[in-house]
Short mmCIF file of all heavy atoms in Angstrom, two decimals:
data_model
loop_
_atom_site.label_atom_id
_atom_site.label_comp_id
_atom_site.label_asym_id
_atom_site.label_seq_id
_atom_site.Cartn_x
_atom_site.Cartn_y
_atom_site.Cartn_z
N ARG A 1 -41.38 52.48 95.93
CA ARG A 1 -40.93 52.39 97.32
C ARG A 1 -39.77 51.42 97.45
O ARG A 1 -38.82 51.66 98.20
CB ARG A 1 -42.09 51.98 98.23
CG ARG A 1 -43.05 53.12 98.55
CD ARG A 1 -43.95 52.76 99.72
NE ARG A 1 -44.83 51.64 99.41
CZ ARG A 1 -46.04 51.76 98.89
NH1 ARG A 1 -46.53 52.96 98.62
NH2 ARG A 1 -46.78 50.69 98.64
N ASP A 2 -39.84 50.30 96.75
CA ASP A 2 -38.74 49.35 96.77
C ASP A 2 -37.48 49.95 96.15
O ASP A 2 -36.37 49.73 96.64
CB ASP A 2 -39.13 48.07 96.01
CG ASP A 2 -40.20 47.27 96.72
OD1 ASP A 2 -40.34 47.44 97.95
OD2 ASP A 2 -40.90 46.48 96.06
N MET A 3 -37.66 50.71 95.08
CA MET A 3 -36.53 51.35 94.42
C MET A 3 -35.85 52.36 95.35
O MET A 3 -34.61 52.40 95.46
CB MET A 3 -37.01 52.05 93.14
CG MET A 3 -35.97 52.93 92.46
SD MET A 3 -34.68 52.01 91.60
CE MET A 3 -35.50 51.76 90.03
N ARG A 4 -36.64 53.16 96.07
CA ARG A 4 -36.07 54.16 96.98
C ARG A 4 -35.28 53.49 98.10
O ARG A 4 -34.27 54.00 98.56
CB ARG A 4 -37.18 55.01 97.60
CG ARG A 4 -37.84 55.98 96.65
CD ARG A 4 -38.69 56.98 97.42
NE ARG A 4 -39.72 57.55 96.57
CZ ARG A 4 -41.00 57.20 96.58
NH1 ARG A 4 -41.41 56.27 97.45
NH2 ARG A 4 -41.86 57.75 95.77
N GLY A 5 -35.75 52.36 98.57
CA GLY A 5 -35.07 51.71 99.69
C GLY A 5 -33.83 50.96 99.28
O GLY A 5 -32.94 50.75 100.11
N SER A 6 -33.74 50.56 98.02
CA SER A 6 -32.65 49.67 97.64
C SER A 6 -31.65 50.32 96.68
O SER A 6 -30.44 50.21 96.88
CB SER A 6 -33.20 48.39 97.00
OG SER A 6 -34.03 48.71 95.88
N ARG A 7 -32.11 51.01 95.65
CA ARG A 7 -31.20 51.49 94.60
C ARG A 7 -31.00 53.00 94.60
O ARG A 7 -30.09 53.50 93.94
CB ARG A 7 -31.69 51.02 93.23
CG ARG A 7 -31.58 49.50 93.08
CD ARG A 7 -32.41 48.96 91.95
NE ARG A 7 -31.96 49.43 90.65
CZ ARG A 7 -32.60 49.14 89.51
NH1 ARG A 7 -33.70 48.41 89.54
NH2 ARG A 7 -32.15 49.60 88.37
N MET A 8 -31.85 53.73 95.29
CA MET A 8 -31.67 55.17 95.39
C MET A 8 -32.11 55.64 96.77
O MET A 8 -33.03 55.07 97.36
CB MET A 8 -32.47 55.88 94.28
CG MET A 8 -33.92 55.54 94.24
SD MET A 8 -34.77 56.00 92.68
CE MET A 8 -34.47 57.75 92.57
N ALA A 9 -31.42 56.64 97.30
CA ALA A 9 -31.70 57.11 98.65
C ALA A 9 -31.38 58.60 98.72
O ALA A 9 -30.63 59.12 97.91
CB ALA A 9 -30.87 56.35 99.68
N MET A 10 -31.97 59.25 99.73
CA MET A 10 -31.80 60.69 99.86
C MET A 10 -31.54 61.06 101.32
O MET A 10 -32.19 60.50 102.23
CB MET A 10 -33.04 61.42 99.34
CG MET A 10 -32.92 62.94 99.30
SD MET A 10 -34.26 63.67 98.31
CE MET A 10 -33.91 65.42 98.55
N VAL A 11 -30.61 61.97 101.55
CA VAL A 11 -30.33 62.52 102.86
C VAL A 11 -30.82 63.96 102.87
O VAL A 11 -30.38 64.78 102.05
CB VAL A 11 -28.83 62.49 103.19
CG1 VAL A 11 -28.57 63.09 104.57
CG2 VAL A 11 -28.29 61.07 103.12
N PHE A 12 -31.74 64.27 103.78
CA PHE A 12 -32.35 65.59 103.81
C PHE A 12 -31.57 66.53 104.70
O PHE A 12 -30.75 66.12 105.53
CB PHE A 12 -33.81 65.49 104.28
CG PHE A 12 -34.68 64.69 103.35
CD1 PHE A 12 -34.84 63.32 103.56
CD2 PHE A 12 -35.32 65.28 102.28
CE1 PHE A 12 -35.63 62.57 102.71
CE2 PHE A 12 -36.11 64.53 101.43
CZ PHE A 12 -36.27 63.19 101.64
N GLN A 13 -31.85 67.83 104.55
CA GLN A 13 -31.11 68.85 105.27
C GLN A 13 -31.34 68.80 106.78
O GLN A 13 -30.41 68.97 107.55
CB GLN A 13 -31.50 70.24 104.74
CG GLN A 13 -30.78 71.38 105.43
CD GLN A 13 -31.11 72.72 104.81
OE1 GLN A 13 -31.82 72.81 103.83
NE2 GLN A 13 -30.58 73.78 105.39
N ASP A 14 -32.56 68.56 107.20
CA ASP A 14 -32.90 68.61 108.63
C ASP A 14 -33.23 67.21 109.14
O ASP A 14 -34.34 66.71 108.94
CB ASP A 14 -34.10 69.54 108.85
CG ASP A 14 -34.41 69.74 110.33
OD1 ASP A 14 -33.76 69.11 111.17
OD2 ASP A 14 -35.33 70.54 110.63
N PRO A 15 -32.29 66.53 109.81
CA PRO A 15 -32.55 65.17 110.26
C PRO A 15 -33.64 65.06 111.31
O PRO A 15 -34.31 64.04 111.42
CB PRO A 15 -31.20 64.70 110.81
CG PRO A 15 -30.47 65.96 111.15
CD PRO A 15 -30.94 66.98 110.15
N MET A 16 -33.87 66.12 112.09
CA MET A 16 -34.92 66.05 113.12
C MET A 16 -36.30 65.98 112.49
O MET A 16 -37.24 65.47 113.10
CB MET A 16 -34.82 67.26 114.05
CG MET A 16 -33.85 67.06 115.21
SD MET A 16 -34.17 65.58 116.20
CE MET A 16 -35.61 66.09 117.13
N ARG A 17 -36.45 66.49 111.28
CA ARG A 17 -37.74 66.40 110.59
C ARG A 17 -37.84 65.12 109.77
O ARG A 17 -38.92 64.78 109.30
CB ARG A 17 -37.92 67.63 109.69
CG ARG A 17 -37.99 68.94 110.44
CD ARG A 17 -38.14 70.12 109.52
NE ARG A 17 -39.38 70.05 108.73
CZ ARG A 17 -39.72 70.94 107.81
NH1 ARG A 17 -38.92 71.96 107.54
NH2 ARG A 17 -40.86 70.83 107.16
N SER A 18 -36.73 64.44 109.58
CA SER A 18 -36.73 63.22 108.77
C SER A 18 -36.76 61.96 109.63
O SER A 18 -37.31 60.94 109.20
CB SER A 18 -35.48 63.20 107.87
OG SER A 18 -35.40 64.36 107.08
N LEU A 19 -36.16 62.03 110.81
CA LEU A 19 -36.19 60.89 111.72
C LEU A 19 -37.47 60.92 112.54
O LEU A 19 -37.95 61.99 112.92
CB LEU A 19 -34.98 60.92 112.64
CG LEU A 19 -33.61 60.71 111.97
CD1 LEU A 19 -32.49 61.02 112.95
CD2 LEU A 19 -33.49 59.29 111.44
N ASN A 20 -38.01 59.75 112.83
CA ASN A 20 -39.23 59.66 113.64
C ASN A 20 -38.85 59.86 115.11
O ASN A 20 -38.08 59.07 115.67
CB ASN A 20 -39.89 58.30 113.45
CG ASN A 20 -41.28 58.24 114.04
OD1 ASN A 20 -41.54 58.80 115.09
ND2 ASN A 20 -42.19 57.53 113.38
N PRO A 21 -39.37 60.90 115.77
CA PRO A 21 -38.94 61.20 117.14
C PRO A 21 -39.40 60.19 118.19
O PRO A 21 -38.85 60.16 119.29
CB PRO A 21 -39.56 62.58 117.42
CG PRO A 21 -40.76 62.64 116.51
CD PRO A 21 -40.37 61.88 115.28
N VAL A 22 -40.40 59.36 117.88
CA VAL A 22 -40.93 58.42 118.87
C VAL A 22 -40.42 57.00 118.67
O VAL A 22 -40.84 56.09 119.38
CB VAL A 22 -42.47 58.43 118.88
CG1 VAL A 22 -42.99 59.81 119.20
CG2 VAL A 22 -43.04 57.94 117.56
N LEU A 23 -39.52 56.80 117.70
CA LEU A 23 -38.92 55.48 117.48
C LEU A 23 -37.42 55.56 117.73
O LEU A 23 -36.78 56.57 117.41
CB LEU A 23 -39.17 55.00 116.05
CG LEU A 23 -40.62 54.75 115.62
CD1 LEU A 23 -40.67 54.28 114.18
CD2 LEU A 23 -41.29 53.73 116.55
N THR A 24 -36.86 54.51 118.29
CA THR A 24 -35.42 54.49 118.52
C THR A 24 -34.68 54.47 117.18
O THR A 24 -35.22 54.07 116.15
CB THR A 24 -35.00 53.26 119.33
OG1 THR A 24 -35.26 52.08 118.57
CG2 THR A 24 -35.72 53.21 120.67
N VAL A 25 -33.43 54.89 117.24
CA VAL A 25 -32.59 54.85 116.04
C VAL A 25 -32.46 53.42 115.54
O VAL A 25 -32.50 53.15 114.33
CB VAL A 25 -31.21 55.47 116.36
CG1 VAL A 25 -30.19 55.10 115.30
CG2 VAL A 25 -31.34 56.98 116.49
N GLY A 26 -32.31 52.47 116.48
CA GLY A 26 -32.20 51.07 116.08
C GLY A 26 -33.44 50.58 115.35
O GLY A 26 -33.34 49.86 114.34
N ARG A 27 -34.61 50.96 115.83
CA ARG A 27 -35.86 50.56 115.19
C ARG A 27 -35.93 51.10 113.76
O ARG A 27 -36.32 50.39 112.82
CB ARG A 27 -37.04 51.06 116.02
CG ARG A 27 -38.41 50.90 115.37
CD ARG A 27 -38.92 49.48 115.43
NE ARG A 27 -40.25 49.38 114.82
CZ ARG A 27 -41.40 49.66 115.46
NH1 ARG A 27 -41.38 50.04 116.74
NH2 ARG A 27 -42.55 49.54 114.84
N GLN A 28 -35.54 52.35 113.59
CA GLN A 28 -35.62 52.97 112.26
C GLN A 28 -34.62 52.36 111.29
O GLN A 28 -34.90 52.22 110.10
CB GLN A 28 -35.43 54.48 112.38
CG GLN A 28 -36.56 55.13 113.17
CD GLN A 28 -36.44 56.63 113.30
OE1 GLN A 28 -36.50 57.34 112.31
NE2 GLN A 28 -36.29 57.12 114.53
N LEU A 29 -33.45 51.99 111.79
CA LEU A 29 -32.46 51.34 110.93
C LEU A 29 -32.86 49.92 110.57
O LEU A 29 -32.79 49.51 109.41
CB LEU A 29 -31.10 51.33 111.64
CG LEU A 29 -30.06 52.37 111.21
CD1 LEU A 29 -28.87 52.34 112.15
CD2 LEU A 29 -29.62 52.13 109.79
N THR A 30 -33.28 49.15 111.56
CA THR A 30 -33.60 47.75 111.30
C THR A 30 -34.86 47.59 110.45
O THR A 30 -34.97 46.62 109.69
CB THR A 30 -33.76 46.97 112.62
OG1 THR A 30 -34.74 47.61 113.45
CG2 THR A 30 -32.43 46.90 113.37
N GLU A 31 -35.80 48.53 110.54
CA GLU A 31 -36.99 48.46 109.69
C GLU A 31 -36.62 48.52 108.21
O GLU A 31 -37.17 47.79 107.39
CB GLU A 31 -37.97 49.58 110.04
CG GLU A 31 -38.88 49.26 111.20
CD GLU A 31 -39.99 50.28 111.36
OE1 GLU A 31 -39.98 51.31 110.64
OE2 GLU A 31 -40.88 50.06 112.20
N VAL A 32 -35.67 49.39 107.89
CA VAL A 32 -35.21 49.50 106.50
C VAL A 32 -34.59 48.18 106.05
O VAL A 32 -34.87 47.67 104.96
CB VAL A 32 -34.18 50.65 106.37
CG1 VAL A 32 -33.57 50.67 104.97
CG2 VAL A 32 -34.84 51.98 106.68
#
């Protein structure tokens, strides 16, 4: 999990299925 967050990352085809719909964009960015 630490490796995925820091040294490797993935962008998926459908962002609506990847982003949490009940959290703000700011919350999802700052959590990372």
Side-chain angles (χ1 to χ4, degrees):
R1 282 195 296 269
D2 291 338
M3 172 73 86
R4 289 193 203 103
S6 56
R7 292 163 65 184
M8 55 196 302
M10 186 166 176
V11 180
F12 297 91
Q13 180 176 356
D14 186 356
M16 274 306 285
R17 297 179 62 182
S18 304
L19 293 169
N20 191 323
V22 300
L23 296 180
T24 65
V25 164
R27 171 77 179 276
Q28 295 181 64
L29 258 172
T30 55
E31 276 190 353
V32 174

